[in-house]
Amino acid sequence: MNGCVEFDLYGNVNSTHVNGTRSSTVSGFRRLRPKLVHLDLYHVSVAARGDISCVVPMVSHVDHCEHDVDVVVTEQGLADLRGTSPKQRAVQIIDKCVHPEYRPMLKDYYFRALNHSRGNTRRT
């Protein structure tokens, strides 16, 4: 298992930047990155004593794209992202990994994104 700073609804991971500034590398990501094919990720769902969700609509910096991440685990649960579409990933992460206090906000973001999407609007 590896840690991170934040991850988004689609499985993209920021493991090196906090507030736009490079922080120390979390869990040896920098050493592992060239060798990674698939990644299992563990992180708490909130930070700063519950004031900040670590699951965000979009990460501020992408170190590992959604194609490298297989499983996301928080204290709320586990989302197995293997073989899922971006829409399915978002639903799984919201339902299984997001802290209950932040679930309504991220669901609202997800549904607004679906309604304003110019692509395939079929819901999953």
Side-chain angles (χ1 to χ4, degrees):
M1 287 281 177
N2 291 285
C4 69
V5 173
E6 64 186 357
F7 63 95
D8 67 22
L9 296 180
Y10 306 102
N12 297 298
V13 176
N14 171 12
S15 61
T16 59
H17 287 71
V18 177
N19 294 327
T21 304
R22 181 176 213 107
S23 67
S24 62
T25 304
V26 179
S27 296
F29 264 126
R30 217 163 150 69
R31 284 182 281 116
L32 293 173
R33 177 66 174 136
K35 299 173 187 165
L36 281 177
V37 175
H38 300 287
L39 178 69
D40 295 331
L41 172 73
Y42 173 78
H43 199 286
V44 294
S45 62
V46 293
R49 297 183 205 117
D51 292 338
I52 300 171
S53 176
C54 294
V55 184
V56 296
M58 293 177 65
V59 291
S60 57
H61 172 81
V62 177
D63 287 305
H64 310 286
C65 70
E66 73 276 8
H67 304 292
D68 293 337
V69 179
D70 286 341
V71 177
V72 175
V73 181
T74 68
E75 77 280 7
Q76 303 300 321
L78 177 145
D80 187 348
L81 307 178
R82 292 174 284 197
T84 57
S85 71
K87 291 177 186 177
Q88 292 167 330
R89 286 179 189 161
V91 170
Q92 275 199 52
I93 289 172
I94 291 169
D95 290 344
K96 297 178 180 178
C97 296
V98 174
H99 190 277
E101 187 174 323
Y102 292 97
R103 244 179 235 148
M105 289 179 258
L106 288 172
K107 278 185 181 180
D108 180 57
Y109 171 87
Y110 173 70
F111 288 119
R112 283 188 295 135
L114 279 179
N115 290 330
H116 291 93
S117 170
R118 293 185 182 192
N120 184 353
T121 57
R122 188 182 80 202
R123 289 181 174 72
T124 56

